[in-house]
Amino acid sequence: LEDGATSCTYSLSASGDSFTSTGGTGTVSVTASRSTCSWTAASAAGFILITAGSSGTGNGTVSYNVSVNPGTT
């Protein structure tokens, strides 16, 4: 997450998802300290794709997809 405004703090809440080699989908909730705080979510891992909610203002939900690991299926 990138801070789009000063004096904003963020917390993330995930459901503790874990994935097998077949991949899957998940969500992360973003809670911002103020409704005017903007944020952007991104994955640094090539096998995780943000599918919805890649940016927002205030609170939001980010959905993602974990790709299949072809080396183990």
Side-chain angles (χ1 to χ4, degrees):
L1 294 173
E2 298 175 2
D3 188 348
T6 58
S7 72
C8 291
T9 58
Y10 305 91
S11 63
L12 302 177
S13 175
S15 60
D17 293 330
S18 63
F19 300 95
T20 65
S21 60
T22 59
T25 60
T27 60
V28 175
S29 296
V30 179
T31 302
S33 59
R34 299 183 318 175
S35 62
T36 57
C37 294
S38 61
W39 51 267
T40 300
S43 171
F47 61 92
I48 300 175
L49 175 68
I50 305 294
T51 58
S54 61
S55 64
T57 303
N59 300 337
T61 301
V62 178
S63 299
Y64 60 92
N65 182 62
V66 177
S67 298
V68 170
N69 183 343
T72 60
T73 56

